[in-house]
Amino acid sequence: MEPSDTQVSAEVEGAQRATGLHLVTPKVRRHSTRPRSVTLGIRAAVLLVLFGAYWLVAIKVNDVNKLPTPREIFDHYGTLITGQDLIGNFAISMSRAAKGFAIGTSVGLVLGTIAGLTAVGEEVVDAPMQILRTVPLAAMLSLFIIWFGLGDLPKLLLIALFCVFPVYINTTSALRNVDRKMVESARSFGLRGPRLLGDVIVPMALPGILTGLRLAGSLSVLALVIAEQINSNSGIGAMLINANSVFEYTTVFCIVVLYGTFGLLVDLFFRFIEHVALPWRRGVSVR
Amino acid sequence: MSAAPGTEVERDRHVAVICEGIDKRFGGHVALDGVDLVMREGEFVALVGKSGSGKTTLLRILAGLEAPDAGTLLVPEARTVVFQEPRLIPAKRVWKNVSLGRGRGAAARAEAEAALGTVGLSHRSSAWPATLSGGEAQRVALARALVRQPKLLLLDEPFAALDALTRLQMQRLISDLVEDFAPATLIVTHDVEEALLLADRIILLRDGKLAVEVAISEPRPRSLGGAHFDGLRRELLGELGVTV
């Protein structure tokens, strides 16, 4: 700002002295209007700093079996790709995660919609869902094998089960929190049933629903570690479990890095979806 | 009846607002262009103008919600805003909305109850905001503004969404409360009659500049009859581009 802007003119100064009130120039909270490149730069810088810090610690530890350096991890990928078909296993796992995600989120969306929109739906659906939600799935693997065999089915069902609940809970609460006044006004314009749902209720509940999908996205990959314990002969979850049991920690680190990268990509994907699906939120949210 | 705010009284009052050469642009659009404004304690100023003339922008700058691009701005620390819509927090009961940020104790509650009393809403103190009517909600918003004992009260078309009867009651209420509490008050309105009914001074904004200024010395509460008010009304509406 120019000095003339901040200087109080003589007249104003006189007026202020005459006043018994203490007058101030308000401090204004400015909205962040940083360009996208700066935001991305900060995010990248954080990752680089963490990466560098890890590298330093790994060099200091200097033990490939405790904390392999990024270099050692990177080199080990070559061994894993040629020796253990990492790419093929990754593809298998991603396909399982995607299928499980699709099944689980569909069920979660349907049940969540039923429970969120109708009182009777909530009465019927909610209590069983709350009970199922706390079932320790990881400890029921052998039952799943007895029920569904050793193929892909029990794996997909397990992944799906992990995805159902975050979507169900977020969908239910998002739908329940849609402003009644908006629904009322839409009803007065003759909107009913699917159109009311599609044009008014779902768009307004979308932020919450997307939160559920986002959680399910990461859970679908985490669930691989449990699901692929069944007949653990394929997938990166199985590779991770096997490497752990034979103390191959460099392999463990390689796959964990893969998980982390995948988590970042899933998050970017949902950010993109939010950006596209919720353009109206930008002018409304706190920042 | 209070004394008419003659020029002698005016000079004695403390200065509460000083604006000098306030500019504000939004992208290429000039919202305010060199606005100068001085208000004194207890003075009631109405800001009228067409949509997009910069009225609300000036109010938001005085409130400290928007930063001017250039110019000097001095306002009291204690300033409160009543927005066009009540902006009550739906998750807090009425009295907690009023005492927002002023503590949770018995003293804060008593203070809030007293403020609710002045707007005639003691009986709704424990209600949820969603159960209030539009006029009630706006009165709560007014109580929330008054409980802070503002030296500058900013009203952004506070009655625009109210029905005609509630509006008349609210105008009367504001008029009385401002007489009692005597903050400097700025009301943004597009209703010339409302401005004539309430203000000591009416300022007409056009294209971001102060275009017309009218002083009204009749004591409040007023009723808008007679040749004098008719003339003023016609003059102001003419300046706004409406012929009557």
Side-chain angles (χ1 to χ4, degrees):
Chain A
M1 217 187 254
E2 302 265 308
S4 62
D5 289 338
T6 51
Q7 258 167 20
V8 180
S9 75
E11 193 191 338
V12 170
E13 218 170 315
Q16 195 189 6
R17 217 174 296 128
T19 184
L21 286 174
H22 175 59
L23 300 185
V24 294
T25 301
K27 285 193 185 67
V28 179
R29 205 194 140 182
R30 283 172 193 276
H31 278 272
S32 151
T33 48
R34 277 174 313 173
R36 241 180 120 61
S37 55
V38 174
T39 308
L40 286 175
I42 292 173
R43 285 174 168 269
V46 169
L47 291 185
L48 271 177
V49 167
L50 289 176
F51 180 75
Y54 174 85
W55 201 324
L56 285 179
V57 174
I59 287 172
K60 187 93 183 143
V61 169
N62 192 21
D63 182 348
V64 70
N65 285 321
K66 275 188 186 154
L67 208 62
T69 63
R71 183 79 230 207
E72 286 159 344
I73 294 173
F74 184 80
D75 288 344
H76 194 63
Y77 274 117
T79 324
L80 286 180
I81 287 168
T82 50
Q84 297 188 39
D85 190 19
L86 179 65
I87 291 170
N89 279 310
F90 182 74
I92 290 171
S93 284
M94 286 307 111
S95 141
R96 283 175 186 151
K99 285 177 193 157
F101 176 85
I103 300 168
T105 54
S106 305
V107 173
L109 280 172
V110 169
L111 292 179
T113 307
I114 292 170
L117 288 182
T118 64
V120 122
E122 193 184 346
E123 284 151 12
V124 172
V125 175
D126 199 61
M129 287 298 276
Q130 299 304 336
I131 293 168
L132 279 176
R133 191 156 78 88
T134 45
V135 169
L137 293 172
M140 304 189 59
L141 277 183
S142 43
L143 256 184
F144 267 73
I145 295 171
I146 292 171
W147 289 343
F148 305 111
L150 287 165
D152 257 11
L153 183 63
K155 301 188 182 82
L156 296 186
L157 286 178
L158 261 173
I159 297 168
L161 271 172
F162 271 94
C163 294
V164 167
F165 300 107
V167 176
Y168 168 78
I169 287 168
N170 281 290
T171 304
T172 313
S173 79
L175 288 172
R176 220 178 283 155
N177 282 320
V178 168
D179 193 337
R180 186 187 301 187
K181 288 179 194 158
M182 307 290 159
V183 177
E184 191 180 76
S185 74
R187 277 216 176 95
S188 77
F189 298 130
L191 259 68
R192 295 277 181 281
R195 293 226 28 219
L196 181 66
L197 200 63
D199 286 352
V200 182
I201 297 175
V202 169
M204 291 189 61
L206 207 52
I209 295 175
L210 281 173
T211 303
L213 289 175
R214 216 162 158 166
L215 284 169
S218 47
L219 277 176
S220 68
V221 196
L222 285 176
L224 284 171
V225 179
I226 293 163
E228 288 178 351
Q229 284 180 39
I230 300 171
N231 190 19
S232 49
N233 57 3
S234 63
I236 54 169
M239 282 176 75
L240 189 57
I241 297 153
N242 294 336
N244 238 311
S245 59
V246 296
F247 314 113
E248 261 186 45
Y249 292 123
T250 316
T251 306
V252 170
F253 271 90
C254 279
I255 293 170
V256 166
V257 168
L258 215 54
Y259 263 88
T261 313
F262 188 76
L264 199 63
L265 290 178
V266 168
D267 199 59
L268 279 178
F269 173 72
F270 278 107
R271 272 173 182 277
F272 172 73
I273 296 283
E274 280 180 2
H275 190 75
V276 174
L278 307 172
W280 54 271
R281 286 267 288 190
R282 267 165 256 158
V284 183
S285 54
V286 178
R287 54 161 214 105
Chain B
M1 203 182 284
S2 63
T7 44
E8 291 303 309
V9 183
E10 288 277 305
R11 289 235 173 80
D12 288 348
R13 287 182 175 170
H14 294 143
V15 170
V17 171
I18 301 166
C19 285
E20 256 198 6
I22 297 286
D23 286 349
K24 181 73 185 177
R25 265 172 217 85
F26 292 107
H29 171 71
V30 177
L32 293 175
D33 185 5
V35 171
D36 299 326
L37 174 68
V38 172
M39 285 174 66
R40 287 171 185 278
E41 234 180 349
E43 190 185 14
F44 201 136
V45 173
L47 207 54
V48 296
K50 291 185 194 174
S51 300
S53 59
K55 314 183 290 281
T56 295
T57 305
L58 182 56
L59 179 134
R60 287 178 62 85
I61 286 175
L62 290 175
L65 296 171
E66 208 91 59
D69 294 330
T72 305
L73 173 65
L74 288 167
V75 289
E77 205 111 44
R79 52 186 192 276
T80 53
V81 189
V82 177
F83 295 96
Q84 198 166 346
E85 69 283 23
R87 300 202 183 182
L88 302 178
I89 294 168
K92 286 186 184 291
R93 291 187 190 274
V94 162
W95 76 267
K96 285 204 169 173
N97 262 286
V98 173
S99 69
L100 202 65
R102 297 178 70 79
R104 298 156 184 278
R109 173 144 200 183
E111 188 187 57
E113 300 278 4
L116 285 168
T118 61
V119 299
L121 280 178
S122 299
H123 61 294
R124 301 308 305 269
S125 159
S126 302
W128 294 109
T131 64
L132 302 177
S133 71
E136 285 175 335
Q138 200 58 316
R139 268 143 75 198
V140 174
L142 185 59
R144 182 175 59 179
L146 290 172
V147 82
R148 273 139 244 268
Q149 295 165 327
K151 294 293 171 199
L152 174 60
L153 176 63
L154 299 161
L155 308 166
D156 187 4
E157 302 196 30
F159 318 132
L162 303 181
D163 65 277
L165 288 176
T166 313
R167 199 181 166 108
L168 287 176
Q169 287 170 345
M170 284 290 284
Q171 287 166 346
R172 183 62 189 264
L173 179 65
I174 287 267
S175 164
D176 291 348
L177 290 174
V178 166
E179 289 291 315
D180 293 347
F181 289 77
T185 306
L186 182 88
I187 185 168
V188 163
T189 178
H190 49 237
D191 183 344
V192 167
E193 283 175 12
E194 185 168 282
L196 287 168
L197 201 58
L198 295 172
D200 302 318
R201 189 148 58 107
I202 300 176
I203 293 171
L204 192 143
L205 267 181
R206 190 186 295 139
D207 301 328
K209 292 192 180 87
L210 302 189
V212 181
E213 201 169 325
V214 179
I216 300 168
S217 52
E218 275 79 357
R220 283 183 298 263
R222 300 172 187 148
S223 52
L224 293 183
H228 179 52
F229 274 124
D230 276 350
L232 282 175
R233 183 167 161 270
R234 203 168 304 124
E235 185 194 330
L236 284 167
L237 284 173
E239 294 286 349
L240 289 166
V242 183
T243 43
V244 277

